[in-house]
Amino acid sequence: MYGLVNKAIEDLAVAVGGEETWLAIKEKAGVDVVAFLSMDAYPDELTYSLVGAASEVLGMTPDEILEAFGKHWVLYTARGGYGPLLKSAGNSLPEFLSNLDALHVRVGLTMPKLRPPSFRVQKISESELIVSYYSQRLGLASMVVGLLKGVGDMFGQDVTVAHTLNRDSGADHDEFALTFVPSNLPASETAEIHAAAQA
Ligand code: 1MF
């Protein structure tokens, strides 16, 4: 995956435990890269190793790490210069998720090694969606749970996610049932993510 992903993991690790925690994670993962380059493509195995090592160092399950990372990715990219990209994908949770494939097409124009997942969105009601997730990668469904919640934060929506179809159980793709309501996140926090995405 592009280095931007590994940099976002670093950013989360440093936010949670400081620089020493990040160095411990890199060491345990056997990663000797001093600084990741956003635009370089790194082997997926490196990213999976970082997730495994973060799980051991932070005492969380890999799925908890992945979910936390998914949420952080939205904030990290919104702050880190991709605000306009995120903004261009829509003004509401359903609209944004429906436009994710188009967003990845845009990124892929300049990043030829991008292997983007694909999302399909069915509207059930004003507050319920079914999101289908197709990926060339295995084991990242918990990251998608965090991504969906992070997108909710961006629009001030509290999203409940149920993982209703699971590739780990033999399904050909993953499916999530989303219920969303206006969030009671501190307005400052929603505002920060939203403002970053407008920048
Ligand atoms: O193949 C890849 O390297 C790759 C990297 C990141 C593929 C996808 C993504 C983004 N995706 C990560 C989870 C992938 C799980 C899987 O493969 O099954 C998150 C997608 C997503 C889902 C919900 C909400 C928001 C999401 O992401 C928004 C997004 C997507 C891509 C980027 C930024 C925000 C992006 C931007 C620049 C990139 C790479 C990805 O690389 C550059 C480009 C220019 C300069 C520097 C780096």
Side-chain angles (χ1 to χ4, degrees), residues 25-38:
I25 291 169
K26 266 208 305 191
E27 162 130 65
K28 196 173 270 294
V31 168
D32 61 3
V33 177
V34 174
F36 293 107
L37 300 175
S38 298

Side-chain angles (χ1 to χ4, degrees), residues 32-66:
D32 61 3
V33 177
V34 174
F36 293 107
L37 300 175
S38 298
M39 300 177 70
D40 276 13
Y42 295 85
D44 281 1
E45 293 66 43
L46 191 159
T47 304
Y48 285 97
S49 297
L50 288 174
V51 171
S55 149
E56 290 187 44
V57 170
L58 297 174
M60 294 160 69
T61 66
D63 282 335
E64 287 169 341
I65 299 284
L66 285 168

Side-chain angles (χ1 to χ4, degrees), residues 158-179:
D158 211 336
V159 181
T160 305
V161 182
H163 194 180
T164 46
L165 253 189
N166 196 328
R167 260 165 103 192
D168 291 345
S169 313
D172 77 331
H173 68 282
D174 290 281
E175 223 163 78
F176 304 92
L178 272 58
T179 310

Side-chain angles (χ1 to χ4, degrees), residues 1-2 4-5 38-39 44 69 73-74 77 82 85-86 96-97 100 103-104 107 110-111 113-117 119 133-137 140 143-144 147-148 151:
M1 284 197 261
Y2 275 99
L4 188 66
V5 172
S38 298
M39 300 177 70
D44 281 1
F69 174 69
W73 173 256
V74 179
T77 53
Y82 298 96
L85 179 76
L86 297 181
F96 184 92
L97 297 177
L100 266 176
L103 180 155
H104 282 113
V107 175
T110 48
M111 298 286 117
K113 291 184 180 159
L114 196 78
R115 289 193 285 126
F119 293 90
Y133 159 62
Y134 303 84
S135 178
Q136 299 179 34
R137 302 186 174 95
L140 301 183
M143 188 194 296
V144 174
L147 286 161
L148 295 168
V151 173

